[in-house]
Amino acid sequence: MRWKLTDRFAGLFFPKEKAAMIKTLAVMTSGGDSPGMNAAVRAVVRRALDRGVRVYGIYYGYDGLLRGGDLIKPLNWEDVGNVLQRGGTFLGTARCEQFKTVEGRRRAVENILERGIEALVVIGGDGSLTGGLLLANEWPEHLEKIASARPELQPIVEKIPTLQIMGLPGSIDNDLSGTDMAIGVDTALNHIVHAIDDLSSTAASHQRTFVIETMGRNCGYLALAGALATGASWMLIPECSLELHWHQRMVECLDKACKTGRRHQMVVIAEGARHPDGLRMESGEVRKILAEKLGIEVRLTVLGHIQRGGAPSAFDRILSARLGVAAVDLLVDEPDVVHRHMVGIQKNRVVSTPLIEVIEKSREIQRLIESGDFSKARELRGEAFRSMLELAESLTAACPSQKSAGQDRVVIMTGGADSPGMNAALSIAARRLLDRGVSVLGSKDEFYGLTHGDLIDLEWNDLAGWMGHPSSDIGTARSSQVREDFGKIAENIAKFNIKAIIAIGGLDTYRHVQRFIEMRAHFAEFNIPVALVPASIDNNLPGSDLCVGSDTALNNIVEAVDKIRDTAGATRRAFIVETMGKECGFLAAMSALAAGAEKAYLPETGISLAELNRDVSELRRSFESGNRMVIYMRNEDASRHYTTDFLRRLLEEESKDEFEVRSVVLGHVQRGGSPTAFDRILAGRISAGAVDALLELMKNGSNEVLAFGLKDGAVVSCPLSEALDQLDATHGRPKVQWFMDLFPVIHSLVKSRPYRRDGVEIVDKEAADPQLF
């Protein structure tokens, strides 16, 4: 069965009460810990309480379920109030050999029955989900034995004839079928990328080669994505079909790269990488081969458990929230369905897949890798994995696979406000073109460089090091062209033999390209194809669900709010945190969800006086109940008159000295720093797609102008005119914004208390008007 989150949640702020069988559920984390598990537990607990369902927390996984006692405790709203930013899992996790026995599982069933638990939400990997499915399948047999041995439990046995199981994928290896990303993967990948970035600086200083080992016993996603995001020289993953003499090819490639000017190299290997015969490969063995054959100093770094530690990324927090809420709603809204499912994310949509299907497909891939059928394993990984592997393999070469076929050139420019990940988009687009035998020029400061002939040759070896650079190394000056400028642009297009343009930037860049197109009637040189790659931290561009840079900005905001929360013990304070975004509320809304803010003021919904009055009352009530900190997010253009400073002064006046009020304007810190792994991969996927389409347009002599983006998890394109038709020009944002469908999820989790307790409403609907948000 497949279920779309947006379909289920449209307008769903006050779900109707049903005669649902589910009145009590339990949540547990199991297997290896994964960043974001706490966020998932929080989402399950708060959504369940909000729907009138009692919740138990099971400590230390299946071991706690078996032992019972104080290891299975009720959880309330406040118990999960400050866990979002914490790594690991506050519920704990442990291996339990006794659970593998029938007797052990029967004891677990007794503990479940004693508390009237009707559904179990299991957050973990393949083994954890298998344990839950096994328990559910054996349920009738256990009930029969327990009913005869313990007659006092007979009434409960009759009430719970079936155990519902909902799984949430928690595994940094990303080796579970049924979901594009598992909880914790993005955080682990960021740790890998940051580690390689840091190692690159010392490697460059000493002209050294490093071998970096990542986790991934049966899935090479972390190593693959890490190599692509950092411009590594070579990678080794379980899904790769290696030749018998693979090491000779690796040595030749690195040696050639060194001789052509690349003085330091990064080789990324997954812990589960294998030889052609299926035997596991040792990272130390790879280091020894390189050192002996190249006669150079090679260092080995095993990243180990640092990959699964630390605070979860914004992506993992949001993913956990979406999946946790969906799991609870499926249990509550579909009482007649026997749930043995895992809730995952596919193409940016929440879906549920039968657990048996998830487990069998995941294990089939593992079996294929162990038997050496790597091509079939890659096929089962999916199209996104295969395309990323193809891209990474082409970019890890020592030099382009084709020499330049002629004097024709493509120019790449970055424009508008700078955005983290622009360099990654530029680097991959340029290397993709060079690999196809096309010369590439970089235009300094968008159209300014094309106007004044300020163009630079983009070289293969230089570009690999740009992946982690902030902003844009060729500049993004905001400039508007006058009539005389277009004549100069036409001259330079002819002079430098430019046959196509790739423009990376925000809404200003889109409009500059549109103006460029309008001048075609006057300049024949402008009749060349153009590809647009969306790059804006505001995430306000049409034709794409996400823009390059928005994930980095979101993480910058969340990290800042986490630091603000660290001061919670000092005194009772309310903070109003202002984010960028222009008239698009993406950053404010999603940071509220990821950072656990109590509210977000957005331009899409505006701010009213009545709303502010309710906010003051709710704020005072929150502190009276023992809360020591409240955080409100405010988009910079949420209201023309109710500014951040106005809100601070209003709340401060109404506080009556019962609490302090502070305002924080994050400003340009949101667009600074090295891009996240997500932004680098996003930039790579869209840029590669843009290049492939552009080459086809050049081949066919087309002058089409296409805007590229990511929609429903796939790289798509449409004519620029169609993209601009999707734009709300007055407010500078798309007419339809997917994240607005997440409002019920956000609203359900960030408020200070649930709407219901034991099925009874405890908050007045008028006071909890969704327009508050």
Side-chain angles (χ1 to χ4, degrees), residues 23 238 336 716:
K23 295 297 181 184
D336 298 327
V716 298

Side-chain angles (χ1 to χ4, degrees), residues 61-68 96 98-99 103-105 107-108 111:
Y62 287 110
D63 186 57
L65 184 61
L66 188 148
R67 292 165 60 188
C96 183
Q98 196 175 351
F99 188 78
E103 294 75 16
R105 292 193 292 276
R107 179 59 195 144
N111 286 325

Side-chain angles (χ1 to χ4, degrees), residues 262-277:
R262 192 165 181 177
R263 306 307 298 176
H264 70 279
Q265 319 264 9
M266 294 288 160
V267 176
V268 183
I269 175 174
E271 64 177 337
R274 296 170 184 270
H275 289 281
D277 60 4

Side-chain angles (χ1 to χ4, degrees), residues 703-714:
N703 67 349
E704 199 167 0
V705 179
L706 298 177
F708 287 80
L710 194 75
K711 281 280 191 181
D712 296 331

Side-chain angles (χ1 to χ4, degrees), residues 454-533:
D454 193 2
L455 307 171
I456 59 172
D457 289 311
L458 298 177
E459 303 291 345
W460 181 269
N461 281 333
D462 296 333
L463 291 164
W466 289 21
M467 291 294 295
H469 289 192
S471 188
S472 167
D473 283 9
I474 62 173
T476 62
R478 300 185 184 186
S479 59
S480 56
Q481 295 79 39
V482 296
R483 179 59 183 253
E484 292 76 15
D485 291 337
F486 290 108
K488 295 176 183 178
I489 291 172
E491 290 176 9
N492 284 320
I493 287 176
K495 177 182 176 181
F496 290 95
N497 218 18
I498 295 168
K499 299 301 181 183
I501 296 173
I502 296 178
I504 304 165
L507 197 52
D508 286 343
T509 298
Y510 279 47
R511 286 168 173 159
H512 291 165
V513 170
Q514 178 67 17
R515 177 66 172 147
F516 173 83
I517 297 169
E518 292 169 354
M519 298 303 291
R520 281 177 169 174
H522 306 283
F523 303 98
E525 293 85 354
F526 292 1
N527 286 295
I528 56 176
V530 181
L532 284 148
V533 175

Side-chain angles (χ1 to χ4, degrees), residues 36 51 73 80 218 235 261 272 278 432 440 443 487 710 720 728 740:
R51 301 295 306 269
K73 301 177 183 178
V80 293
N218 300 299
M235 67 175 180
R432 186 78 161 178
V440 189
S443 175
L710 194 75
L720 177 59
D728 177 351
M740 296 295 287

Side-chain angles (χ1 to χ4, degrees), residues 310-384:
S313 66
F315 179 93
D316 275 329
R317 301 184 197 194
I318 293 167
L319 174 64
S320 298
R322 295 178 69 180
L323 300 187
V325 167
V328 171
D329 281 350
L330 277 170
L331 289 169
V332 174
D333 292 338
E334 298 181 352
D336 298 327
V337 176
V338 177
H339 286 292
R340 311 270 169 83
H341 294 85
M342 186 194 79
V343 180
I345 191 94
Q346 293 182 22
K347 299 181 179 179
N348 202 28
R349 294 290 185 271
V350 172
V351 299
S352 67
T353 308
L355 277 173
I356 188 66
E357 180 182 325
V358 171
I359 294 166
E360 288 182 350
K361 189 173 179 181
S362 300
R363 292 186 174 177
E364 173 65 8
I365 295 174
Q366 180 180 342
R367 186 192 65 77
L368 290 168
I369 290 173
E370 290 176 349
S371 64
D373 193 348
F374 303 112
S375 60
K376 181 64 174 177
R378 288 195 299 273
E379 182 181 336
L380 291 180
R381 287 283 183 227
E383 175 59 32

